[in-house]
Amino acid sequence: TYDRLFDKGYMTFTDEGKLICGTEISSYNWAKLLINPSQHKKYDILPEGRELYLEYHRNNVFLGNIEELI
């Protein structure tokens, strides 16, 4: 489920691994997925060296304004 949300652009990650949830999904539905969008939980992004891919994802796939959500 989480991979699909990422692939469809509903969530993304900073280069440091902080989860950023888009606004296309309501807070009610994020809660049903056991995700707190305001928490910005940090994850280990493996393998390392994916910064270029994450930058592309934030700029071209993510559904939301990353600057407003960080």
Side-chain angles (χ1 to χ4, degrees):
T1 301
Y2 302 118
D3 287 339
R4 184 98 168 143
L5 290 169
F6 179 83
D7 291 344
K8 293 291 185 179
Y10 294 110
M11 65 168 55
T12 194
F13 295 90
T14 65
D15 290 344
E16 297 77 29
K18 289 183 183 176
L19 175 65
I20 305 297
C21 298
T23 56
E24 297 290 318
I25 294 180
S26 70
S27 57
Y28 172 79
N29 286 320
W30 283 120
K32 290 185 81 154
L33 293 166
L34 303 176
I35 296 174
N36 180 348
S38 62
Q39 186 179 26
H40 298 293
K41 187 173 179 178
K42 186 175 179 183
Y43 293 88
D44 291 327
I45 304 295
L46 300 173
E48 292 184 22
R50 299 184 109 183
E51 292 82 8
L52 288 177
Y53 175 73
L54 289 173
E55 181 180 6
Y56 176 85
H57 186 270
R58 288 190 301 267
N59 293 328
N60 299 291
V61 179
F62 181 63
L63 302 173
N65 184 341
I66 191 74
E67 299 302 322
E68 289 179 6
L69 297 171
I70 293 181

